[in-house]
Amino acid sequence: METPAAPTVPRPQGTAARPEIPITTTPPVKRERRWSVAALCIVLAVVAALGAAAAVNSASDRTKVLAVARDVPAGQALTGADVTVAEVSTDSALSPLQASDKASVLGKRTAVDLRKGGLLLASQLAAGTGLGDTRQQVGVLVKRGQAPAGTLSAGDKVLAVTTPAQGDNTSTKDDAAAPSSINAVVVSLSRPDATGSVVVNLAVATTDGPVLATRASQGRIALVREPRSN
């Protein structure tokens, strides 16, 4: 006896088709963007390295030199209190004295006025003491009108002319005679006081020092500046 076949179940009509569900995936990261970020990082690292190298080189290029610790008038001998050590960047346009030269400059006289904070140059110092072995130094108080106003400076050659003593009667014959004078070199000058008077330090021969000092103490010296050589 044959087994009857199972009845077929008819598929329902009108059933909507099942929608297809799309499969989503993470979009790929563009490799070009990754390379640009890496390149930027490399550039920044190189710039930082160059900056650090420049800073190290700048620090290594600094050198110790001599500087002026306080104002020093022309003609004055330098002391340890006048000179200090400063650290500056190397510059071919400047030629300051090295810190190692400090001992050798002490005792030398300045050829020009020095100002506090400036670098000390070899050209600002007079050779030796500025007087030489055959020179004496005499301070002369010069009143207004007894020297050229504002034109004297260290190194100028002058004539220290003896003026008549107060109360002396000079005859016409005396006026025609050449006045007594002494050859001298200006070593330094003080700043004018309230009356316009200045003290001028003069270097003279040893035979003239006592005579000039005597006349200067009497206020009988006027200065005549000799022509400056070109």
Side-chain angles (χ1 to χ4, degrees), residues 101-186:
D101 297 328
K102 183 175 181 178
S104 64
V105 303
L106 297 183
K108 288 190 174 181
R109 294 187 181 273
T110 57
V112 296
D113 290 339
L114 302 182
R115 294 288 176 259
K116 179 180 179 180
L119 298 180
L120 186 62
L121 309 180
S123 59
Q124 297 172 327
L125 302 179
T129 62
L131 298 178
D133 294 336
T134 60
R135 293 284 190 175
Q136 291 182 338
Q137 187 172 343
V138 180
V140 178
L141 177 64
V142 180
K143 297 179 180 180
R144 187 189 300 272
Q146 292 181 329
T151 63
L152 289 180
S153 60
D156 281 343
K157 295 180 180 180
V158 297
L159 289 177
V161 180
T162 303
T163 60
Q166 187 174 4
D168 282 356
N169 293 322
T170 57
S171 63
T172 305
K173 183 179 180 180
D174 293 334
D175 291 341
S180 174
S181 62
I182 296 174
N183 293 317
V185 176
V186 176

Side-chain angles (χ1 to χ4, degrees), residues 59-87:
S60 62
D61 287 343
R62 298 180 71 84
T63 182
K64 292 183 178 181
V65 299
L66 295 180
V68 182
R70 60 184 180 181
D71 291 350
V72 182
Q76 180 172 305
L78 288 177
T79 66
D82 299 325
V83 182
T84 187
V85 175
E87 191 172 303

Side-chain angles (χ1 to χ4, degrees), residues 26-37:
T26 303
V29 178
K30 294 183 178 180
R31 293 187 177 182
E32 293 80 359
R33 183 176 300 175
R34 290 182 177 179
W35 279 112
S36 63
V37 173

